[in-house]
Amino acid sequence: MTRWTLSGFGDEIDPDPVVQAAVLQALGANRIEVRSAWGTNIVDLDDAQLDRLAGVLRDRGMGVSAIASPIGKVDVALPVEHEVRRLERAIRAAEVLEAPFIRIFSFFRSAERTPEDVRDEVLVRMAALARTAEAARVTLVHENEKEIYGDTPDRVLDVIESVGSDRLRAAWDNANFVQVGVRPFTDGYALLRPHIAYLQVKDAIAATGEVVPAGEGDGELRETLTALRDDGYDGYASLEPHLTDYSALGGFSGSAAFGRAGRALRALTDEIGVTLS
């Protein structure tokens, strides 16, 4: 039997971690992906707030699957040290919350610059982030967010292979690929499968970019999940529904819509014989 660990972005539910944990547990999850708490981004929480958050989650039996940091969601023109310092804060959060992964991105660029223009700058910064992660023994997972350098499968592969660190892997997001004109499974799965360490779950409609629950869009979720099952994937499936609101810096769903997203994912995994727990 194939079993994956269900998780989700708590702040898509509510700013309060108590409510976040309750809704995730109602969906059968005992893991949470932490992007913010009490309305404050994870890299901006001070040590006292991190300790408080750890206590809230521990008291409710919730583990943390990943720190959903904003590292790399800045213009590539900023100095290398800017994001290294913020990553150090994300690493501190990962230590306190005992999270094995930290999500990162591969940098925005100004409108007049092409991906090719910024490639070298991106790789210098991604290598610096990877070295920082290596020293801390934490694993970074790069999310294929639209409008960053690594928004298409070939450029995600370029980042990971060019940096060449065991501490830099891929976080796969079907909806984000759809929003940049990619057929996720058809165009990207075989290319990136050796590097996939984390699954973020949402879907999208190609014609409009609208984000929808898993299986209701053009994200080839069923094909992707089936292939992951057959390839022996045994990691996290983290809900990031974006059903009510989303922007370049994140999204929100609310409890009811988040529940809808969770049930849609479970319907797909039940259909293909994957157990979520």
Side-chain angles (χ1 to χ4, degrees), residues 84 87 91 104 123-140 159 163-169:
V84 169
L87 178 58
I91 289 170
I104 65 168
L123 294 181
V124 165
R125 285 154 179 76
M126 296 301 290
L129 297 174
R131 289 194 300 270
T132 304
E134 289 166 359
R137 302 182 65 83
V138 66
T139 299
L140 308 178
V159 168
V163 172
S165 172
D166 289 341
R167 293 292 178 173
L168 177 61
R169 307 290 303 283

Side-chain angles (χ1 to χ4, degrees), residues 24-82:
L24 281 163
Q25 288 177 327
L27 292 170
N30 60 8
R31 294 291 188 275
I32 186 171
E33 185 160 350
V34 181
R35 183 170 53 197
S36 69
W38 305 292
T40 300
N41 190 276
I42 186 66
V43 298
D44 296 320
L45 295 175
D46 62 28
D47 284 354
Q49 290 170 312
L50 286 174
D51 288 340
R52 179 186 171 199
L53 177 58
V56 167
L57 298 177
R58 183 175 57 249
D59 290 348
R60 285 154 182 81
M62 293 293 289
V64 176
S65 62
I67 301 301
S69 86
I71 306 305
K73 266 196 175 183
V74 297
D75 195 289
V76 71
L78 287 170
V80 176
E81 295 75 20
H82 182 276

Side-chain angles (χ1 to χ4, degrees), residues 117-258:
D117 291 338
V118 301
R119 178 180 182 271
D120 289 350
E121 294 166 72
V122 166
L123 294 181
V124 165
R125 285 154 179 76
M126 296 301 290
L129 297 174
R131 289 194 300 270
T132 304
E134 289 166 359
R137 302 182 65 83
V138 66
T139 299
L140 308 178
V141 285
H142 171 277
E143 180 182 342
N144 52 289
E145 174 70 41
K146 57 186 176 296
E147 299 176 356
I148 62 171
Y149 177 79
D151 59 357
T152 59
D154 59 324
R155 288 199 292 268
V156 173
L157 186 67
D158 182 31
V159 168
I160 293 174
E161 290 191 341
S162 296
V163 172
S165 172
D166 289 341
R167 293 292 178 173
L168 177 61
R169 307 290 303 283
W172 175 277
D173 188 306
N174 291 68
N176 290 351
F177 277 140
V178 170
Q179 291 176 333
V180 296
V182 169
R183 298 169 299 171
F185 179 75
T186 301
D187 300 336
Y189 182 82
L191 193 68
L192 293 177
R193 176 62 188 99
H195 305 290
I196 297 172
Y198 199 86
L199 175 63
Q200 294 180 184
V201 182
K202 58 181 181 288
D203 205 344
I205 296 172
T208 64
E210 178 189 358
V211 180
V212 294
E216 297 182 16
D218 299 302
E220 302 181 317
L221 259 296
R222 183 175 287 98
E223 295 91 335
T224 302
L225 300 182
T226 301
L228 285 168
R229 178 203 66 190
D230 293 345
D231 289 344
Y233 180 76
D234 61 357
Y236 292 103
S238 183
L239 293 162
E240 189 190 11
H242 284 13
L243 292 181
T244 302
D245 183 41
Y246 69 92
S247 69
L249 297 179
F252 185 75
S253 297
S255 299
F258 197 96

